[in-house]
Amino acid sequence: MKIKNILPIILFLVSFSFYAQSGKTDEKREKIKAYKVSFLTTELELTSTEAEKFWPIYNVYDDKQFELRHQKMKTYMRKLDDDNINSMSDKDAVTLLSQMESTDKELYLLRDKYMTNLKKVLSAKKILKLKKSEDDFNRKLLQQYRDKAGKD
């Protein structure tokens, strides 16, 4: 499996562990979001006109995908515990799998709409730069998490 396919899963697990560790999830999420905004702003070198149009699109997408991933997937993860899977009926397993597939489709459609909207605001080159910058940010965040975990 390629690292690009694994990275969202790792980020989900990292985010999930932040959630599990304390009640300060929203505060941590806001700090990460602020850091991400700063990082992307620097990396993308957006003009003021581009930034004015880009950030509302990006924020709506980011919030919706976060909600889908974290609210729905959190529910799925609870059900995917080994004990739950072993005691789950085939009917329940089919239902859960269907719900997970539905969430994947929602994420895909959200991403598709996001890309369509981005193309109206940014050049293809800047969209590629955005993708690379997000990947770089995620790697940095994961590295910071690893470094912090290694110190504990």
Side-chain angles (χ1 to χ4, degrees):
M1 193 180 276
K2 292 183 180 180
I3 188 76
K4 288 183 181 181
N5 295 336
I6 295 172
L7 199 56
I9 294 167
I10 292 171
L11 287 173
F12 169 73
L13 293 174
V14 167
S15 299
F16 188 73
S17 71
F18 280 147
Y19 177 80
Q21 286 178 6
S22 73
K24 296 181 180 180
T25 306
D26 291 337
E27 186 180 316
K28 288 180 182 180
R29 183 170 188 273
E30 289 305 314
K31 280 184 179 180
I32 291 170
K33 196 171 187 176
Y35 180 48
K36 187 175 190 179
V37 166
S38 172
F39 184 84
L40 292 178
T41 299
T42 303
E43 293 295 310
L44 293 177
E45 300 171 340
L46 298 172
T47 66
S48 58
T49 305
E50 288 172 331
E52 186 178 302
K53 294 176 183 176
F54 167 75
W55 285 112
I57 293 169
Y58 187 85
N59 289 333
V60 166
Y61 166 75
D62 192 51
D63 290 344
K64 285 183 180 177
Q65 70 87 26
F66 177 84
E67 181 182 320
L68 279 172
R69 280 198 173 126
H70 297 276
Q71 298 306 319
K72 290 187 177 185
M73 293 298 200
K74 183 171 59 174
T75 302
Y76 303 152
M77 293 303 286
R78 277 191 222 122
K79 293 179 181 179
L80 289 177
D81 179 280
D82 284 338
D83 293 334
N84 288 340
I85 292 174
N86 292 333
S87 64
M88 191 180 287
S89 71
D90 282 342
K91 184 180 178 185
D92 289 340
V94 167
T95 300
L96 181 58
L97 193 56
S98 177
Q99 290 171 341
M100 292 171 78
E101 289 171 348
S102 177
T103 299
D104 285 343
K105 285 178 188 171
E106 284 182 73
L107 283 166
Y108 171 78
L109 292 172
L110 179 64
R111 179 93 181 150
D112 190 51
K113 182 180 177 184
Y114 167 66
M115 290 305 281
T116 300
N117 290 336
L118 274 185
K119 289 175 184 175
K120 295 174 186 173
V121 175
L122 300 177
S123 68
K125 210 172 179 178
K126 282 206 177 176
I127 293 172
L128 290 174
K129 200 171 188 180
L130 169 64
K131 177 67 181 140
K132 182 188 179 312
S133 297
E134 285 178 314
D135 290 344
D136 291 347
F137 175 81
N138 291 337
R139 273 192 287 282
K140 275 184 133 178
L141 186 64
L142 191 56
Q143 186 60 48
Q144 285 180 355
Y145 178 75
R146 283 182 186 149
D147 292 347
K148 184 177 179 183
K151 292 177 183 176
D152 291 338

